[in-house]
Amino acid sequence: MQKPCTRLFSKFEQTGSVDDNRVGNVGPSQTENVAKVYGIVQQNPRNTVRRIASETGLKCSSAQKILRNSLWMFPYKIQSHQAIPIKAVRQRFDFATRFSQ
């Protein structure tokens, strides 16, 4: 068995390059997957990562990486805010003062 350096040198002598002999990656490109995930999210932004993965045929981890790294979407981020009614604030204050004694 040849050492790794010897293999690389003989490969360079034969081919003029040390690149792998792979012809290309198999399957859809990353941009196609990002476009699929983006389309599904646009249709229903409240879809779960599992549902997005099953609809696109991707793994859950791949769908999650696309959502985070390519589309800049993060889970558990508050998307909308609601005003708390004054009555609720008063109830919370009364509750806190009653039970803090």
Side-chain angles (χ1 to χ4, degrees):
M1 181 159 173
Q2 293 179 337
K3 293 182 180 179
C5 294
T6 310
R7 270 187 280 152
L8 281 174
F9 186 74
S10 63
K11 185 175 188 176
F12 181 75
E13 285 181 330
Q14 292 172 359
T15 62
S17 174
V18 291
D19 288 339
D20 288 334
N21 295 330
R22 298 179 187 159
V23 178
N25 293 333
V26 179
S29 68
Q30 179 72 19
T31 55
E32 290 176 17
N33 291 337
V34 171
K36 286 180 191 176
V37 171
Y38 182 72
I40 290 172
V41 170
Q42 287 298 313
Q43 289 174 1
N44 186 3
R46 298 190 56 86
N47 268 348
T48 62
V49 175
R50 286 184 180 183
R51 181 163 294 162
I52 292 170
S54 68
E55 289 181 17
T56 57
L58 298 171
K59 295 180 189 175
C60 287
S61 59
S62 298
Q64 190 171 24
K65 285 178 186 176
I66 289 172
L67 287 169
R68 283 181 165 269
N69 301 334
S70 300
L71 301 178
W72 292 91
M73 295 182 178
F74 302 96
Y76 311 117
K77 189 174 184 180
I78 297 173
Q79 300 294 328
S80 62
H81 301 278
Q82 291 182 348
I84 299 175
I86 294 173
K87 182 180 177 183
V89 173
R90 287 185 187 137
Q91 286 176 341
R92 290 178 186 187
F93 182 76
D94 293 341
F95 178 84
T97 54
R98 190 176 330 135
F99 286 100
S100 66
Q101 296 172 355

